[in-house]
Amino acid sequence: MRFLIFTVVFFLVATVIKIDLTEGTVPLAAFDKKEEQACEEQIHIKSISVVTIEGDTVQSLLASYPSEVEISLPEKMAQFYKLNPHLQKQAIVPGELIKIPIYDKIENDCRK
């Protein structure tokens, strides 16, 4: 009988510890993330049109027009191909007018 009671108590304690470790003791609803999202910087994307010359590549065009926001190269290239979808299947032709994305930072006023 003692063994049965000990086994039940052991599994009960193990279950409580497992739930505590996986879900936590503090409810997740206590962390309000709305305030954090309101104060994040927003990125505004505008574009400029340029005429290409011989030897231009997508990377060289993106590098020659830097932005004040740190954006990874794959994100820049994705935005470049959104603005110039015809360049996904063809090479850049000299004398062609293409658009290059420029990123601006918009700062929010986070005061309450």
Side-chain angles (χ1 to χ4, degrees):
M1 185 69 176
R2 278 192 273 163
F3 182 72
L4 182 64
I5 293 173
F6 174 73
T7 305
V8 170
V9 169
F10 176 75
F11 281 115
L12 183 66
V13 169
T15 303
V16 168
I17 290 173
K18 178 187 166 270
I19 291 172
D20 184 46
L21 291 175
T22 56
E23 296 179 12
T25 54
V26 179
L28 294 177
F31 299 106
D32 188 19
K33 294 187 180 188
K34 291 180 183 175
E35 294 177 11
E36 294 176 11
Q37 292 175 353
C39 294
E40 290 180 359
E41 297 176 345
Q42 294 181 353
I43 298 173
H44 182 263
I45 302 171
K46 59 182 179 180
S47 65
I48 58 171
S49 298
V50 295
V51 176
T52 60
I53 59 172
E54 189 169 340
D56 277 343
T57 63
V58 175
Q59 290 86 359
S60 68
L61 290 171
L62 292 174
S64 61
Y65 297 97
S67 60
E68 58 186 63
V69 181
E70 293 279 331
I71 303 287
S72 67
L73 183 62
E75 292 176 3
K76 286 181 182 180
M77 290 183 72
Q79 187 63 34
F80 177 83
Y81 286 121
K82 280 183 186 176
L83 294 172
N84 305 292
H86 63 281
L87 292 177
Q88 290 179 353
K89 296 187 178 185
Q90 77 178 39
I92 296 177
V93 179
E96 183 178 11
L97 185 67
I98 60 173
K99 295 180 182 178
I100 298 179
I102 303 292
Y103 300 89
D104 288 334
K105 188 181 346 178
I106 299 174
E107 296 182 15
N108 292 338
D109 189 16
C110 296
R111 289 179 265 153
K112 289 189 174 186

